[in-house]
Amino acid sequence: NAMYPHLAVQSGKDGIVRLLNLDNLSRQGSPGFTGGEVGQPLQLSSATGRAGVITAPVIWTNPADGTRWVFFVHSAGVIGLKLTTAPDGTPALMPIWQSSSPGASPVIANGVLYYAATNALRALDPATGTLLWQDTTIGGIKWQSPVVANGLLYLTDQGKGLTAWGTSSPLAFGWGTNTVGQVNAELEPNPVPAPRLSADDAPGILQV
């Protein structure tokens, strides 16, 4: 029932997140105009006022239910927004979770949201914002972006360092009803809607 089938999302230093109708960016049905916003814009904020966006957001389709998400890493933290559609077809971005750890340049790989923070690389669950893992041993970060290639994650820092992360042992991911701990007794919620790294990170996995 979407009124606008082709959308874009945009923000900037003003911290205002806008949805744009790609089929009529001028809102006039002809060239020579500017605009194109649909629905109500969303103002990102911090304790001291507006939260400016410097680096590009990242889009994700949740494999559990097919919903579309967008993630902004800004001067006051991280926010996960889910695209919704009102009964009349008007789209909107609904804030689902927020983190107060600022950074830049988010990227999603294998169902994990990575971003560069000050002296750290952080990995979050995109559906909940839960911190899955972080490495705080790297040099200072400004706007550097993580890059994923051939199963490794790379990040440069302000100290001319290049760090690569990988895993040398098998990891177990699970999802499903989890009503009696089939996925992992320590994982919440029930059900587990999307692939999650096992909470105990058991080594020596031989077969699933």
Side-chain angles (χ1 to χ4, degrees), residues 9-176:
V9 63
Q10 178 267 338
S11 188
K13 289 185 177 180
D14 59 3
I16 299 176
V17 177
R18 302 172 178 87
L19 284 174
L20 305 177
N21 177 11
L22 289 176
D23 295 325
N24 186 12
L25 283 173
S26 69
R27 289 189 297 183
Q28 304 291 329
S30 61
F33 300 92
T34 59
E37 297 92 344
V38 296
Q40 293 295 317
L42 176 68
Q43 176 68 67
L44 303 179
S45 61
S46 68
T48 58
R50 295 182 175 181
V53 175
I54 304 298
T55 55
V58 65
I59 305 294
W60 177 61
T61 300
N62 188 337
D65 56 14
T67 53
R68 285 297 186 106
W69 294 61
V70 59
F71 304 95
F72 285 94
V73 182
H74 52 77
S75 59
V78 187
I79 188 168
L81 305 167
K82 183 166 70 172
L83 182 64
T84 63
T85 306
D88 67 356
T90 303
L93 288 171
M94 177 186 299
I96 302 298
W97 58 263
Q98 297 187 57
S99 167
S100 59
S101 297
S105 304
V107 63
I108 285 190
N110 298 323
V112 178
L113 173 65
Y114 300 95
Y115 75 96
T118 303
N119 295 102
L121 176 73
R122 295 168 59 86
L124 308 181
D125 181 333
T128 65
T130 302
L131 178 65
L132 302 175
W133 168 85
Q134 67 177 345
D135 187 339
T136 59
T137 64
I138 60 177
I141 296 295
K142 191 172 184 181
W143 296 329
Q144 288 86 347
S145 176
V147 175
V148 177
N150 298 324
L152 294 177
L153 189 147
Y154 301 89
L155 181 66
T156 59
D157 59 43
Q158 295 290 88
K160 301 180 182 180
L162 171 64
T163 305
W165 292 267
T167 176
S168 59
S169 61
L171 299 177
F173 290 79
W175 64 98

